[in-house]
Amino acid sequence: MNRAIQMIILLTICLGFLAFYPYPIDGYEHTGIKRLMRLERIQIGEIDVASTLPAGALKSYGEIHLNLREKDQDSLGMILTKDDTFQSEINTLFKGLDRSYSLAILDLSDPENLRYAERNATSGYQPGSVGKLAVLVGLFTQMANIYPDSWEKRTNLLRNKSVQAGVWGLTDEHTIPIYNIEKNTLVKRQVIASDVFTLYEWADHMLSVSNNGAASIVWREVLLMAAFGKKYPDLTPEESAAYFKETPRKVLTDLGNDVVNLPLRELGITAEEWRLGSFFTKGANTYVGDKGGSIGTPLGLIKFLVMLEQGNVVDAQSSLEMKRLMYMTDRRIRYAQSPALKEAAVYFKSGSLYKCDRSKGEACGKYMGNVINYMNSVAIVEHPDNCTYMVVLMTNVLRKNSASDHMYLAGNIDRLIRKH
């Protein structure tokens, strides 16, 4: 009996004792993302480490689906129409809170009776790491340009194209998980210039642990895809280095800005609703400059989530794969950390940016800025009983770590929606 058959039998036995399928039980085979192999090995007992993932993080690759495919022709205006009763209920959650709390929320539990509510949904915030979702859209947009007729070639590119970090990955305090399959060892550390990973793994580092270096590296590759087109898959490190050395900084800045922002405009998201103006690391600024500033609004981001669930971000296959990459299978934080969501699948991105002025003599520190203190959460929540909704929460509460606020509101929002 070969190892593949033995593995199938073992998985079948394991799944018979579990009320869920470990996520993503076939994820490594699809993507080559090594940390997923470690999760798989933990779940089937090959690695004697207690899993810390909540039940909702254990969906299988094949269980993830899009919730609004049957409404893919419906306009954003039709879907994002306020439900007066739902709006009134949502308003009660924010009594006594100032306008620094902004929200957009869509209840998808009954696809035939969608319910939408919002609060200050057009207010602009510095999106922080939420902007990495724009890089993700840019990546799938450019891959579709290179291989318009082949999904298989696009995923092969993600899986097989390896690129080195270089100075683009420097610097970021967030660590990345580096799992050696052969030695069965896991190391968590910051990105260094010599790191080499596939596009799939860089994208996973960008989202699962929100690594800024990984985001700049993925963005760099998106820029190169736009510049070289169908020649990109065979692009060598030497050709890439020469391009950045020889191309004027303004040309690089303009193209870098276009590849992450124009796809959002094509989705009907305006520049005032969501835009990305700067790379995520100082190393990237060696080659590209900032342009236009970054901003995010609850309305702009929920438009993205709706079109993702419709399968309209690039195409249905791209939308589904982006949603899989957003699936939270690492440590849940902020909004996603709410105990109310333990059983729920959460597709999530969080972002923050704070600034201190210590001359004021006020309490100020990490995530507790007294000048600005942005904290943003974007989530799709899917409970096992089909209670499903999407939410964008953006705050700028000074001198306070708003993670507890996000987690508290997540529980209250969940209870309110589950009443129905």
Side-chain angles (χ1 to χ4, degrees), residues 62 84 90 309 330 414 419:
D84 290 338
I90 289 295
E309 290 285 16
D330 204 277
D414 195 75
K419 284 195 316 181

Side-chain angles (χ1 to χ4, degrees), residues 144-411:
N145 290 341
I146 295 171
Y147 295 121
D149 302 317
S150 177
W151 174 248
E152 182 180 4
K153 288 182 179 178
R154 294 183 221 172
T155 53
N156 283 343
L157 182 64
L158 288 174
R159 182 184 171 89
N160 298 323
K161 179 77 170 180
S162 294
V163 296
Q164 187 171 339
V167 298
W168 300 76
L170 309 176
T171 59
D172 180 25
E173 65 179 19
H174 294 95
T175 62
I176 57 172
I178 303 174
Y179 180 60
N180 187 307
I181 291 177
E182 290 72 27
K183 295 180 180 180
N184 191 26
T185 56
L186 176 69
V187 175
K188 293 186 177 182
R189 62 160 173 76
Q190 294 170 300
V191 170
I192 59 177
S194 59
D195 279 335
V196 176
F197 294 103
T198 65
L199 294 179
Y200 247 137
E201 290 195 291
W202 282 123
D204 180 63
H205 292 326
M206 173 177 75
L207 295 177
S208 68
V209 292
S210 199
N211 186 270
N212 290 335
S216 286
I217 293 159
V218 174
W219 191 345
R220 175 193 70 193
E221 297 305 306
V222 174
L223 191 162
L224 288 169
M225 289 179 187
F228 286 88
K230 296 185 182 301
K231 295 180 181 179
Y232 170 81
D234 297 317
L235 189 68
T236 67
E238 294 75 19
E239 289 170 330
S240 173
Y243 173 74
F244 286 113
K245 182 179 180 179
E246 297 167 4
T247 305
R249 182 180 177 86
K250 184 180 185 305
V251 173
L252 294 175
T253 299
D254 289 345
L255 182 58
N257 193 271
D258 284 348
V259 295
V260 294
N261 286 300
L262 293 184
L264 301 181
R265 306 295 88 81
E266 292 173 7
L267 294 175
I269 300 171
T270 71
E272 295 308 309
E273 291 172 339
W274 187 16
R275 66 178 182 269
L276 196 54
S278 60
F279 276 70
F280 293 89
T281 52
K282 292 180 180 179
N285 293 135
T286 305
Y287 301 99
V288 293
D290 301 343
K291 181 180 177 181
S294 298
I295 195 171
T297 66
L299 180 60
L301 285 156
I302 205 162
K303 283 183 176 182
F304 162 71
L305 294 181
V306 168
M307 298 195 75
L308 189 78
E309 290 285 16
Q310 288 178 308
N312 289 334
V313 181
V314 184
D315 53 42
Q317 289 172 305
S318 298
S319 295
L320 181 58
E321 197 65 14
M322 281 186 263
K323 185 176 178 181
R324 288 192 182 112
L325 283 164
M326 290 175 64
Y327 187 43
M328 184 49 61
T329 56
D330 204 277
R331 182 173 63 93
R332 292 185 176 185
I333 62 172
R334 299 170 181 167
Y335 192 99
Q337 195 176 3
S338 171
L341 306 183
K342 283 184 177 180
E343 303 296 320
V346 181
Y347 310 82
F348 179 72
K349 191 75 203 74
S350 180
S352 62
L353 184 71
Y354 63 91
K355 182 179 180 180
C356 287
D357 180 357
R358 301 190 186 279
S359 67
K360 295 183 177 183
E362 300 172 334
C364 188
K366 190 174 184 179
Y367 307 124
M368 297 175 60
N370 63 352
V371 179
I372 57 172
N373 197 45
Y374 295 112
M375 187 169 287
N376 311 309
S377 295
V378 175
I380 300 170
V381 177
E382 296 174 351
H383 283 283
D385 61 0
N386 292 326
C387 174
T388 302
Y389 56 94
M390 58 178 64
V391 59
V392 179
L393 175 63
M394 309 187 84
T395 60
N396 184 26
V397 183
L398 300 181
R399 298 177 294 280
K400 178 182 180 181
N401 188 334
S402 297
S404 57
D405 287 356
H406 283 229
M407 188 170 65
Y408 175 76
L409 282 167

